[in-house]
Amino acid sequence: MTAKRTFDVVGGLALLVALSPFLAAVALSVALGGATPGRGVLRRRTVAGLGGRPFTMLTFRTKSPLAALPLLLHVVGGRMSLVGPCPLTPGHRECAGEGRRRLSVRPGLTGPWQISGRSDLPWEERELLDLHYVDHHWLGMDLAILARTLPAVRRRRAARFA
């Protein structure tokens, strides 16, 4: 097991334990707050994982940043990493040609795209950030990205509600 994978498992488990009350509260809130009957509290989306192998990514049916909490299960299970390229559908254009390099690492719960403006970035810039990460990632870079993720999410959330 590599240092990155060990960090993902230990960090993912620690976050799951620490955030389990939030997981339960969000699930209950979504269930009571109008989850579409028959659709449940989780949204399913097929994304390309390591080597391009598709898997079903689960998120809560909410627009809040807490929607991503179920992704920790994928991190612990080895389908995702705490830090990596943005998860994309298997047929997405960024998973072909030179962009196929992004499939040489697990998609991430967060990454350079998350701390650099996410949906405000043009596709080309997000692709460059992901490919730069793929080519140059190391545990120190992951730690720096993780340290900047929560402040980046808070800034965007504050800007939306201001």
Side-chain angles (χ1 to χ4, degrees), residues 72-156:
L72 289 168
L73 297 169
H74 299 305
V75 171
V76 172
R79 292 176 298 279
M80 291 184 75
S81 181
L82 289 173
V83 180
C86 180
L88 298 174
T89 58
H92 196 281
R93 67 178 178 86
E94 287 184 36
C95 290
E98 185 174 337
R100 183 143 181 82
R101 288 194 337 258
R102 73 185 355 269
L103 302 175
S104 66
V105 298
R106 290 174 179 86
L109 182 74
T110 188
W113 47 274
Q114 175 79 13
I115 61 172
S116 301
R118 200 163 101 184
S119 58
D120 298 333
L121 294 175
W123 279 105
E124 297 79 14
E125 191 170 337
R126 192 161 98 183
E127 182 177 26
L128 287 172
L129 286 169
D130 278 348
L131 292 178
H132 177 48
Y133 176 83
V134 167
D135 294 339
H136 303 285
H137 72 279
W138 60 290
L139 197 52
M141 179 187 284
D142 284 7
L143 293 172
I145 290 170
L146 286 168
R148 292 179 54 197
T149 295
L150 189 56
V153 170
R154 281 188 185 151
R155 274 193 308 275
R156 271 192 293 288

Side-chain angles (χ1 to χ4, degrees), residues 22-101:
F22 290 107
L23 280 160
V26 172
L28 184 61
S29 173
V30 172
L32 297 176
T36 306
R39 293 184 64 188
V41 299
L42 295 173
R43 177 176 289 120
R44 291 163 171 75
R45 189 177 98 176
T46 301
V47 296
L50 183 64
R53 287 184 295 280
F55 71 94
T56 302
M57 186 173 80
L58 302 173
T59 56
F60 284 126
R61 290 185 184 277
T62 177
K63 293 186 189 294
S64 81
L66 299 175
L69 289 178
L71 297 179
L72 289 168
L73 297 169
H74 299 305
V75 171
V76 172
R79 292 176 298 279
M80 291 184 75
S81 181
L82 289 173
V83 180
C86 180
L88 298 174
T89 58
H92 196 281
R93 67 178 178 86
E94 287 184 36
C95 290
E98 185 174 337
R100 183 143 181 82
R101 288 194 337 258

